[in-house]
Amino acid sequence: MIEKIRLYGDEVLRQKAKPISDIQKVQSKIDNLLETLEANDEFALAAPQIGYSLRMFAIRTIWKEEKDDIETMLFINPEMLEFEGMQNEPEGCLSIPEIYEKVKRAKKIKFKAQNRFGKKKEYIAEDLFARAVQHENDHLDGILFIDKLPTLKRKFLQGKLNKIVSTTKNGVNVG
């Protein structure tokens, strides 16, 4: 089932998501996350963005050269292990539409997560993949990319953020 994207102002986006202890019990929510990501033709999506306070997110491998090789990767209960280097690139977010700003992130990371069958695996991510993992993992801790911006930049964006909140009911776009 395709879920509605929760927008800035929705409380679920500010909650620390709960670890998933029984992956089998959330298989329908996993399917909904993947279907919603695909339906929005987006790059990445975290469970809180569709109203589920659960520690999981999905990322499409759009950086692959062959379009036929693009896959959607699911990460459950991710744990960040190592951070290296720095990148400062533009980011956007489905939950904060039409706002794009440069955010400082680690250039290379090491993390581990489970797949939809509970198998644990370690990953090394660089560049765009590393940035996406960090962005989506922040969602699981109730952190939005705008929280990482300098105070003056956030104040400058406050009018746009207020407009997003005003066009929603319970954090879901009503427009």
Side-chain angles (χ1 to χ4, degrees):
M1 178 172 71
I2 298 167
E3 299 282 2
K4 290 196 180 286
I5 302 297
R6 301 302 178 100
L7 299 177
Y8 178 79
D10 189 314
E11 291 177 9
V12 74
L13 296 175
R14 292 302 192 173
Q15 296 170 358
K16 188 168 176 86
K18 299 172 192 81
I20 299 170
S21 56
D22 187 346
I23 294 173
Q24 291 308 311
K25 286 186 177 179
V26 298
Q27 288 296 317
S28 65
K29 291 181 179 179
I30 290 171
D31 291 340
N32 294 350
L33 176 70
L34 298 173
E35 287 176 31
T36 304
L37 176 62
E38 189 68 31
N40 283 281
D41 195 27
E42 284 295 330
F43 170 43
L45 188 65
Q49 291 181 274
I50 58 171
Y52 304 147
S53 186
L54 297 169
R55 295 194 74 76
M56 67 177 172
F57 59 83
I59 297 175
R60 294 178 65 223
T61 58
I62 63 169
W63 56 86
K64 292 190 175 183
E65 289 183 25
E66 295 295 323
K67 295 295 180 201
D68 294 343
D69 204 20
I70 292 175
E71 61 182 305
T72 300
M73 301 174 74
L74 177 71
F75 303 99
I76 298 172
N77 298 324
E79 294 177 53
M80 301 295 117
L81 302 172
E82 296 175 18
F83 300 90
E84 186 180 309
M86 199 272 291
Q87 58 179 313
N88 189 23
E89 299 295 330
E91 290 186 21
C93 181
L94 276 172
S95 295
I96 309 173
E98 299 178 21
I99 294 178
Y100 301 90
E101 295 293 335
K102 285 188 175 185
V103 177
K104 291 181 183 177
R105 302 263 186 203
K107 184 169 180 56
K108 183 177 180 181
I109 62 170
K110 182 178 180 182
F111 71 103
K112 64 181 176 180
Q114 293 171 274
N115 67 13
R116 78 178 301 154
F117 307 107
K119 184 178 179 186
K120 291 182 182 176
K121 183 177 176 183
E122 268 190 15
Y123 301 87
I124 293 177
E126 295 186 64
D127 302 317
L128 179 59
F129 185 26
R131 195 165 63 249
V133 169
Q134 292 169 85
H135 177 110
E136 299 308 324
N137 194 68
D138 278 352
H139 275 297
L140 306 184
D141 292 325
I143 299 167
L144 302 173
F145 83 94
I146 56 172
D147 299 334
K148 299 200 172 273
L149 300 175
T151 304
L152 189 60
K153 180 60 85 170
R154 282 196 313 268
K155 285 183 180 181
F156 177 76
L157 293 172
Q158 197 57 55
K160 289 181 179 181
L161 295 171
N162 291 344
K163 186 175 180 182
I164 294 169
V165 172
S166 73
T167 62
T168 66
K169 180 177 181 182
N170 300 324
V172 179
N173 192 344
V174 293

